[in-house]
Amino acid sequence: MTSILIADDDFISLEVLKAMLSSYNVNIITAQDGKHACDLALEHQPSLIILDYEMPVMTGAEACANLRKNSQFKNIPIIALTGHQSSTELNTCRDAGMNQTLHKPVSPEAIAELFKSYLPNI
């Protein structure tokens, strides 16, 4: 089964995103900080990773940059999740190697587009 890793330190945001993803045939793995997300990514090899930008221990951009150093994550889609839309933050995400940005609150339509783009066989 396809696995998706979601990392967000906001419990409510994490639960809402999990609920949206539950309508798809995927295994959902969750983390509440960037370091834990990196550890879980190495352990589970997810097909898609969604990282909140602002997290303790390691930001989403830092976690992405860390994962991109590992060849097994060169082609895995990594998506930024953010409540902000500053050009500085968006550039940081892009520079870290993130493929796309989802803005909070995330809509079911945005999730559908994400799947269509990155996991079309789901």
Side-chain angles (χ1 to χ4, degrees):
M1 179 181 289
T2 300
S3 293
I4 296 177
L5 172 63
I6 313 166
D8 195 329
D9 62 317
D10 181 331
F11 178 76
I12 300 297
S13 293
L14 192 60
E15 289 301 309
V16 168
L17 197 50
K18 276 174 51 179
M20 280 190 229
L21 292 171
S22 69
S23 63
Y24 296 90
N25 186 27
V26 294
N27 179 40
I28 302 167
I29 305 158
T30 61
Q32 292 186 326
D33 67 61
K35 172 72 171 91
H36 191 216
C38 287
D39 293 342
L40 288 173
L42 288 167
E43 181 182 341
H44 295 282
Q45 298 294 304
S47 298
L48 177 72
I49 300 171
I50 302 172
L51 301 171
D52 184 35
Y53 181 78
E54 289 185 38
M55 291 187 289
V57 183
M58 185 185 288
T59 69
E62 291 168 337
C64 178
N66 188 16
L67 290 170
R68 291 292 190 215
K69 291 176 187 175
N70 188 322
S71 63
Q72 66 196 43
F73 294 102
K74 292 286 184 201
N75 297 314
I76 301 294
I78 301 178
I79 310 303
L81 181 63
T82 182
H84 310 287
Q85 295 185 16
S86 76
S87 59
T88 302
E89 188 172 296
L90 295 176
N91 287 335
T92 301
C93 290
R94 193 174 310 112
D95 292 345
M98 293 183 155
N99 297 80
Q100 183 178 328
T101 303
L102 281 177
H103 297 283
K104 292 179 183 179
V106 178
S107 70
E109 294 80 17
I111 295 296
E113 283 299 315
L114 193 69
F115 274 72
K116 188 175 169 184
S117 296
Y118 298 107
L119 301 172
N121 298 325
I122 299 295

